[in-house]
Amino acid sequence: MTALGGRTIIFGSQGGKRDWRLPFAPALPAFALLALAGCNRHQSALDTFGEEAAGIAHLSLVMVIGALVIAAALLLLFRWAVRAPEGSLSLRGGERLIVVAGAVLPSILLLGLLIYSLPAMKPRPTGPGDLTIDVTGEQFWWRVRYHPPDAAPVDAANAIRIPVGRTVRFRLHGGDVVHAFWIPGLAGKMDMIPGRVNELPVRAVKPGLFRGQCTEFCGLSHALMAFEVIAMEPAAFDRWLAAERQPARAAAGASGGAGASGEGRALFASYGCGGCHQIRGTGERGLIGPDLTHFAARRTVGAGTLPMDPAAVARFIRHPSEAKPGARMPAFPHMSEAEASAIARYLGELR
């Protein structure tokens, strides 16, 4: 008799036969269901929308099936060893069993898995006509720059859009510390290391809204560093990228303006927000923080931390570290709630 995790496993004898019972075995399906409960459709390596992730999922399935076959064989061998009468296996037979089951078969299995998986290690080929997207991990947000062929680059932040059916080459940078870039349904993980550029070529196969995440601990708000991934039909993506290249609508053609928008814009400038943030079409040219040109088109504030509504934006402006501990954006406790709300309304018009 032995104990395992508070449960008792009994090896004994009943009626001349050995008996083995695993009282915790009925709980195994419950543990499996609990693990599957963590899966979802917008951030899941099992619900793929990219060719690279589909290859990884297929390879994982093959390995899981192989592991289950090995586990079943071991359980059958264990059962036979417990129930077989004494002396049923000679010394020579035991030696052969050890050599075959312990050395020959595992070597063949591992070699087969290696040969089967080698093609999946080859990166997707890219060409000069492919879209390149630079993504830089910052504490704690994502700097995004699109480099379409034969066109000027386009800056964005905290969301990534890609065309379905086209090869996209991600160039991954670490802006301050080591981060890790992972879009589970699109491709595998890749580190973002300061001073080094890692390339990840991918191809999406279906449109939809998905989610990515930093998977390397990078500071206090590591878990609050998500980004949306929007896979679009090629024509829709081309139209979006052309619109993204333009100045923000609320900023274009207006130097001041009256009402809430004009007041918020004046407050944005007077508090020095343009020293860190860029809004194309205005004199705000800061490059330290996220580009805010089309801020209102985003669905979240602070890289997935808060919903996109005026109250959340005003809260983040005054006290960013309350929503995102360790954020490098300075706080403005001396700013009144009315002023923060005016700036939030102005940003809410930048489309």
Side-chain angles (χ1 to χ4, degrees):
M1 183 193 328
T2 184
L4 177 62
R7 301 283 186 168
T8 302
I9 303 176
I10 301 175
F11 298 96
S13 174
Q14 292 183 356
K17 294 183 178 180
R18 293 181 177 86
D19 180 45
W20 58 289
R21 288 177 287 171
L22 303 176
F24 53 83
L28 293 178
F31 288 125
L33 291 175
L34 183 63
L36 290 175
C39 300
N40 54 53
R41 296 188 65 83
H42 68 284
Q43 184 178 333
S44 172
L46 301 179
D47 183 30
T48 62
F49 70 100
E51 292 183 1
E52 283 68 29
I56 294 172
H58 177 73
L59 184 60
S60 300
L61 179 62
V62 171
M63 291 189 172
V64 167
I65 293 174
L68 291 176
V69 170
I70 293 173
L74 288 175
L75 286 175
L76 291 174
L77 182 61
F78 178 72
R79 185 177 184 275
W80 175 81
V82 170
R83 292 180 174 269
E86 295 184 8
S88 59
L89 185 65
S90 66
L91 177 61
R92 185 174 296 276
E95 291 174 347
R96 283 198 298 265
L97 179 64
I98 291 174
V99 171
V100 174
V104 176
L105 291 180
S107 298
I108 294 174
L109 178 63
L110 291 175
L111 180 60
L113 287 174
L114 175 62
I115 295 174
Y116 185 81
S117 63
L118 282 177
M121 299 180 185
K122 184 180 179 180
R124 174 180 297 280
T126 59
D130 295 329
L131 173 67
T132 297
I133 305 178
D134 282 313
V135 183
T136 303
E138 307 278 0
Q139 290 179 305
F140 298 95
W141 60 282
W142 305 90
R143 189 188 303 273
V144 183
R145 171 169 283 190
Y146 297 85
H147 295 273
D150 303 322
V154 178
D155 291 329
N158 296 329
I160 297 174
R161 296 184 183 236
I162 56 176
V164 172
R166 295 179 184 172
T167 297
V168 175
R169 179 173 60 242
F170 285 113
R171 292 194 306 204
L172 306 177
H173 313 257
D176 35 41
V177 299
V178 176
H179 300 271
F181 181 83
W182 191 31
I183 307 172
L186 182 63
K189 302 178 185 179
M190 184 164 285
D191 284 342
M192 311 172 85
I193 303 171
R196 176 173 177 174
V197 180
N198 287 334
E199 292 195 358
L200 178 66
V202 301
R203 179 179 291 172
V205 295
K206 67 178 181 179
L209 176 63
F210 307 95
R211 188 174 185 268
Q213 179 69 49
C214 177
T215 57
E216 179 78 27
F217 181 74
C218 55
L220 291 175
S221 286
H222 160 67
L224 302 175
M225 192 174 170
F227 58 96
E228 288 189 330
V229 182
I230 304 171
M232 309 173 66
E233 295 295 346
F237 175 82
D238 292 338
R239 291 193 298 269
W240 171 83
L241 191 60
E244 191 75 6
R245 188 176 288 110
Q246 303 303 314
R249 293 177 188 172
S255 58
S261 179
E263 178 190 2
R265 179 172 176 176
L267 288 168
F268 186 92
S270 65
Y271 274 101
C273 302
C276 292
H277 299 283
Q278 174 178 231
I279 300 178
R280 295 192 297 277
T282 72
E284 316 299 347
R285 297 292 182 183
L287 299 176
I288 298 174
D291 186 296
L292 302 181
T293 303
H294 299 285
F295 178 79
R298 298 170 192 166
R299 291 161 42 91
T300 64
V301 179
T305 305
L306 297 174
M308 179 58 76
D309 62 62
V313 175
R315 173 193 170 195
F316 196 84
I317 291 172
R318 296 186 69 217
H319 303 289
S321 60
E322 288 184 0
K324 182 165 285 192
R328 294 183 174 181
M329 177 176 169
F332 291 88
H334 54 289
M335 181 187 295
S336 68
E337 293 185 7
E339 291 175 327
S341 296
I343 295 175
R345 288 194 296 272
Y346 163 61
L347 295 176
E349 297 179 2
L350 300 179
R351 297 185 180 275

